[in-house]
Amino acid sequence: MTAALGGCGLGGGSDEVTLRLVAADYGDSAANSSRKYWDTLVKEYEAKHSGVRIDVSVYSWTDVDRKVKELVAAGEAPDMAQIGSYADYADKGLLYKADDLIGIREQADFVAQLGAAGRINGMQYGMPFAASTRLLFYNKTLFADAGLTPPRTWKQLAADAEALKADGVKYPYALPLGPEEAQAETMQWLLSGGGGYIDSVGTYGIDSDENVTTMNWLKDDLVGKGLTGPAAPENLNRAAAFSAFAAGDVGMLNGHPSLMKIAAAKGVKFGMVPMPGAAGPTKNSMGVADWMTAFKQNGHAEQVGDFLDFVYSEKNVLAFSREYDLLPVTNSASTTMSGASRDADLKPFLDALPTSELPPVDKTSWASVSAAVKKRIGSAVSPGGSPEEVLRELQLTAQNAE
């Protein structure tokens, strides 16, 4: 889907500049497509900047990263791309640093965790554009029927799942370790066990003792006891798990803000709590960010920087976040949202953001490691699977990719 919001190439005079932006679509229908968001924003910007035209192309998340990769390979890089990763382009020297585009004050307004995740060797190449965190969603009706309270520890989560299973709940805990987004579900669980993909010095530690313990617990105490539903985790994708929750068939699962709208539309009464950990609520939620990048190929650093200042104004950051149930990436917009009654539903996710941990998106190796996790991690908790063996294989994959 392409939205041409301005002329192609130069138009009107030699001093006019056309900036090309490729953006991802966050909408779930034509009615709320990101095309409408950018149309409104660009119209307002161009009205105040007669010498600059903005040409925006909007693609689905299925296509956008591939499309940008193809454009870059063909020597036709856009001026800006709002996509899912940045490290590979930065590593090849193709991107402007944020220092070349926006001021120190504007960079300092990025939420600390998100800004840090967009840096390589201290330089900001990926500018966070949209963010979310994860919480444990639970079905209030199913919990009330079983006389349960939301779990705070793994032991309590397993006990609640046992009770839900006894009540005939189809998915006491939905564990989506299928290829769609297994790397995210896995990371949230690894964090809850005190581990993660990266160790304390910033290198891969996928086969750490903490991670092995976590995956063994999942295999033995949840999957092995039939508490994760009829679909094997390695065959269950996030979208299917979300749909099952909205249908009232799931007692608990990890979710991000968009699940609120999906569940509410189906009349499901739900609550949200921090992910249970081995001994108490997990201190670090998983955070996710998408990135704005600026390619050097066409120049125009001054015009790109001015446009990005407008994109990252508090008004526009809030408008985008509210439209798509996402978290603001700037401190100014986050402060406003935290105090606004209209945004109360998002506050639990906002509260989790300052202590969230993001995947190692600053590593050029992460794309291949993430793909390997999606492909293999589900087998670790299967009846004949070995968490130790799978995590060791993934660690070797990560080391080789480095």
Side-chain angles (χ1 to χ4, degrees):
M1 176 171 56
T2 300
L5 306 175
C8 296
L10 295 178
S14 60
D15 292 334
E16 184 173 274
V17 172
T18 295
L19 301 179
R20 292 187 300 147
L21 166 64
V22 174
D25 194 355
Y26 289 81
D28 55 14
S29 66
N32 71 340
S33 167
S34 294
R35 172 176 180 165
K36 293 188 174 182
Y37 171 80
W38 287 111
D39 194 4
T40 300
L41 184 147
V42 166
K43 183 178 181 180
E44 182 180 350
Y45 181 80
E46 289 184 345
K48 300 175 182 178
H49 300 79
S50 59
V52 179
R53 305 288 295 276
I54 311 295
D55 186 329
V56 182
S57 299
V58 179
Y59 296 91
S60 72
W61 272 111
T62 304
D63 298 324
V64 67
D65 287 291
R66 175 185 55 79
K67 181 61 178 179
V68 172
K69 186 175 181 180
E70 290 173 352
L71 288 171
V72 172
E76 301 174 355
D79 296 283
M80 295 163 283
Q82 184 267 299
I83 47 180
S85 61
Y86 70 89
D88 189 47
Y89 297 125
D91 184 62
K92 294 175 181 175
L94 301 178
L95 300 181
Y96 281 117
K97 299 188 294 292
D99 287 345
D100 300 324
L101 306 169
I102 59 178
I104 295 174
R105 183 176 64 181
E106 286 75 17
Q107 292 182 59
D109 197 28
F110 289 139
V111 173
Q113 281 77 2
L114 305 179
R119 297 188 196 114
I120 297 177
N121 296 325
M123 294 290 104
Q124 190 91 46
Y125 290 98
M127 290 166 277
F129 182 79
S132 68
T133 52
R134 303 296 169 97
L135 295 172
L136 182 77
F137 282 66
Y138 66 96
N139 184 310
K140 285 187 172 181
T141 301
L142 297 179
F143 266 61
D145 290 345
L148 303 175
T149 57
R152 294 170 56 85
T153 66
W154 288 352
K155 184 177 180 180
Q156 292 168 353
L157 186 149
D160 285 353
E162 289 275 14
L164 291 167
K165 180 182 179 182
D167 266 8
V169 175
K170 189 174 182 180
Y171 291 91
Y173 179 87
L175 183 65
L177 294 180
E180 179 189 359
E181 206 183 26
Q183 85 289 356
E185 179 75 13
T186 299
M187 182 171 175
Q188 185 63 76
W189 275 102
L190 298 184
L191 290 173
S192 76
Y197 291 123
I198 300 296
D199 62 23
S200 59
V201 295
T203 59
Y204 284 107
I206 300 175
D207 61 348
S208 68
D209 292 343
E210 294 85 355
N211 291 346
V212 170
T213 297
T214 297
M215 297 306 296
N216 273 317
W217 187 87
L218 279 175
K219 179 178 184 292
D220 297 336
D221 290 64
L222 278 190
V223 181
K225 294 182 179 179
L227 303 179
T228 54
E234 61 188 314
N235 297 325
L236 181 65
N237 280 326
R238 176 192 57 81
F242 278 18
S243 294
F245 186 81
D249 292 332
V250 175
M252 299 172 280
L253 83 169
N254 281 319
H256 51 64
S258 66
L259 181 56
M260 295 190 298
K261 183 180 293 187
I262 296 170
K266 297 292 187 178
V268 173
K269 295 180 180 179
F270 60 89
M272 302 173 295
V273 295
M275 178 66 181
T282 303
K283 294 181 180 179
N284 297 329
S285 170
M286 178 188 173
V288 177
D290 302 322
W291 307 98
M292 178 68 76
T293 60
F295 287 87
K296 294 191 292 186
Q297 179 180 319
N298 304 317
H300 307 316
E302 181 180 350
Q303 292 86 354
V304 169
D306 188 71
F307 178 65
L308 291 180
D309 281 341
F310 183 71
V311 169
Y312 282 104
S313 67
E314 182 179 329
K315 180 189 75 170
N316 287 326
V317 171
L318 281 172
F320 180 84
S321 301
R322 285 167 169 162
E323 177 65 31
Y324 299 108
D325 286 329
L326 291 164
L327 304 184
V329 297
T330 61
N331 293 311
S332 54
S334 294
T335 299
T336 298
M337 184 175 276
S338 292
S341 58
R342 64 180 288 186
D343 302 311
D345 287 348
L346 283 170
K347 195 171 189 312
F349 296 95
L350 273 171
D351 291 343
L353 187 57
T355 57
S356 65
E357 183 173 325
L358 277 73
V361 292
D362 59 328
K363 292 180 176 291
T364 58
S365 58
W366 173 240
S368 59
V369 173
S370 175
V373 173
K374 292 179 183 180
K375 183 178 180 180
R376 304 179 197 171
I377 198 66
S379 65
V381 299
S382 64
S386 168
E388 294 93 337
E389 183 177 331
V390 171
L391 293 177
R392 190 180 307 116
E393 291 173 352
L394 291 172
Q395 176 68 12
L396 289 173
T397 296
Q399 290 173 343
N400 290 335
E402 284 280 86

